[in-house]
Amino acid sequence: MNTFSETEFRRKFPILQKLNKDSGLIYFDNAATTQKYKAVIKTSQNFYQESNANVHRGSHFLSAKATESFEIVRLQVQKLINAKSAKEIIWTKGTTEAINLVAQCFGLTNLSAGDEIVVSQAEHHANIVPWQNLANQIGVVIKVLPLDKCGRIDLVQAQRIISSKCKLLAINHISNVIGKINPIEQLIALAKGVGAKTLIDGAQSIAHTIIDVQALDCDFYVFSAHKMYGPTGIGVLFGKQELLEKMPPYQFGGEMIKKVSFTGTTYNTLPHKFEAGTPNIVGVVGLGSCLELFSPSFLTPMTEYEQRLCQYAYQGLTTIPGLEFLVEQQPDIPLFSFTINDLHHHDVATFLDSKGIAVRSGHHCAMPLMDLFKLDGSVRVSLAPYNTFAEIDELIKQLKLLVQGDETDQTSTSIKPSLESINTPDQTQIINLFNKANSWDLKHRQIMLLAKQLPRIDKQQRTDDDLINGCESNSWLQVSLDLTTKQLSFMADSDAKVIRGLMVIILSAYQHKTAEQIIAFDISNFFSQLGLMQHLSPSRGNGVRAIVERIEQLAASYL
Ligand code: PMP
């Protein structure tokens, strides 16, 4: 593809053609991972079919061919981010591994107790936890930069916090929750002013902006290929050569050595010193095939289209009653995080999922940011340039229906569960309900209807001891024993309506049973008869498992 055209671009993503045709899927979870560019899929398959061999070490034609394809991509990535040398491009599994590498190889050897690492309030866990681990190892101190009202790192506060004690500034270029471009040029300058090194987490920026690491003059820049229409399991650590030279290796084994003997081993030169073992060859080669999308002549019109989508979606979302963005003003990339009235974020996401719209809900691996907003999560809609205005229209339409209550409150004509059916657990009836609901949309509706039948536990009566570990929403379970019948009765509640509905289903199997009956019951068989598990995301699926485990645990204590 030489120039960007929105229709042509969309056609280059086979999954969108297929899912759109089969199920009308609208994919708005691009900040989690982007869909894969056709050339990436083709190159990866071709590599396995035509060029597969290990790199660097073979003394045969195929290995030389594989090595050439592999190393060409390093040069392309060097060019993409304008690094001085290909030695500064280190392959990693992704952003997370790149940050861990810097923490262990730069942090452990260059920092000491009392030195400060400055991050921002809006970091992904990948740019928090490796530093916390380092703090546990050597006593460095983590300082946090606050955000301004628009969600960007606050420069005024940064001047105060980035002091001479700061030895490393590790911040995101664009937050995966907020979607605003941080003033990293000024922040890097502040850090350099106090002699600190800088690491920029570019996971969310690499697909949206031109990156020039020499102009930025950052010491490290990290990103993942899977957020740029490329393969999973491959990412990049850019590091300034003089720093990388002085850092010890990350992992040890083949590839990263020059000479090994039992009297001593010498390490390879850059970049191989940091690439122990057989690398993700097909990942690198696949990444090479999406880089054409980031040449300035392609990226510029692509981001222009993206900006139009951004503005359109922002305006549409502002018309939803009760919708509140986490921060003020339109984001710089089409990535929107919001809450809607008292609707739980999981309920919004499952509702949209039942309408074929994939969005993310939860804490987005940014729990400290959620704490700042006093939220346990939000809904996140993130677009890519293969999305369309019509898809945004559909999202807005569905959100309006949800808010008006047209959807979840609508009683389905053929299926009307009664309160009695829940109080008197009847799995057969539940199975019948779900068998009649033959689409995810209808099943979802049933879950939401069932949710209404679960009596809420009074807020004062819900204690932390009742909290169910493993549910992404706050969920509680209480039990009581009838001494005469030895039957157990459960009270359950959750912040998320979808979880309350699932609780009704689970309780239909366990309510008023003895501990022995509960332990003996085969819940997975029950759930597979309902045809539900394939529609529950891992977090909700795990939520179901967590509720069941808690019930079984409580039952076991009565055996
Ligand atoms: N940082 C940011 C800002 C991210 O968005 C992500 C991915 N969501 C990561 C780090 C971690 O990236 P990966 O999972 O590819 O290592």
Side-chain angles (χ1 to χ4, degrees), residues 31-32 94-97 124 126 172 174-176 201 203-204 224 226-227:
T95 306
T96 306
E97 190 179 50
H124 188 282
N172 68 83
I174 301 182
S175 142
N176 65 316
D201 172 354
Q204 295 296 339
S224 305
H226 71 96
K227 311 235 191 227

Side-chain angles (χ1 to χ4, degrees), residues 12-134:
K12 300 284 180 187
F13 291 83
I15 195 170
L16 298 178
Q17 311 310 314
K18 175 153 175 41
L19 289 180
N20 211 32
K21 193 160 131 264
D22 293 355
S23 56
L25 181 92
I26 295 174
Y27 186 76
F28 282 158
D29 194 17
N30 294 286
T33 197
T34 52
Q35 295 303 348
K36 307 304 165 214
Y37 189 47
K38 196 173 182 174
V40 170
I41 301 170
K42 206 167 140 209
T43 308
S44 309
Q45 189 179 1
N46 282 354
F47 180 82
Y48 279 133
Q49 279 181 359
E50 290 163 25
S51 313
N52 182 51
N54 212 331
V55 289
H56 300 138
R57 35 188 121 159
S59 46
H60 53 83
F61 166 75
L62 211 52
S63 174
K65 192 173 159 193
T67 305
E68 195 191 350
S69 318
F70 181 83
E71 287 301 333
I72 281 176
V73 183
R74 203 188 298 270
L75 294 169
Q76 290 170 339
V77 170
Q78 176 204 343
K79 187 160 168 251
L80 173 80
I81 61 170
N82 193 29
K84 250 188 217 157
S85 155
K87 291 181 183 164
E88 299 182 319
I89 307 298
I90 313 292
W91 301 126
T92 64
K93 277 195 292 187
T95 306
T96 306
E97 190 179 50
I99 299 174
N100 274 281
L101 191 160
V102 176
Q104 290 305 298
C105 303
F106 171 79
L108 266 188
T109 45
N110 289 279
L111 307 184
S112 47
D115 284 347
E116 290 180 359
I117 296 177
V118 177
V119 299
S120 85
Q121 182 81 44
E123 298 309 321
H124 188 282
H125 297 161
N127 196 27
I128 298 175
V129 188
W131 310 121
Q132 287 177 327
N133 181 43
L134 190 66

Side-chain angles (χ1 to χ4, degrees), residues 53-58 63 67 70-71 74 91 249 251-260 265-281 284:
N54 212 331
V55 289
H56 300 138
R57 35 188 121 159
S63 174
T67 305
F70 181 83
E71 287 301 333
R74 203 188 298 270
W91 301 126
Q251 292 186 328
F252 300 81
E255 284 281 290
M256 53 72 65
I257 50 85
K258 210 178 254 170
K259 187 168 184 309
V260 178
T265 289
T266 50
Y267 302 136
N268 208 338
T269 50
L270 289 176
H272 311 294
K273 180 173 88 172
F274 290 106
E275 295 175 1
T278 300
N280 182 354
I281 306 168
V284 170

Side-chain angles (χ1 to χ4, degrees), residues 455-463 466 476 478 491-493:
R456 306 296 306 264
I457 304 178
D458 197 74
K459 273 199 180 124
Q460 269 87 44
Q461 316 223 302
R462 302 187 307 210
T463 70
D466 303 329
W476 301 265
Q478 296 171 347
M491 292 273 289
D493 200 358

Side-chain angles (χ1 to χ4, degrees), residues 406-417 445 449 452:
D406 281 2
E407 280 297 322
T408 50
D409 288 346
Q410 209 175 71
T411 313
S412 149
T413 45
S414 56
I415 305 160
K416 287 188 185 140
R445 252 185 234 196
L449 285 170
K452 291 185 183 176

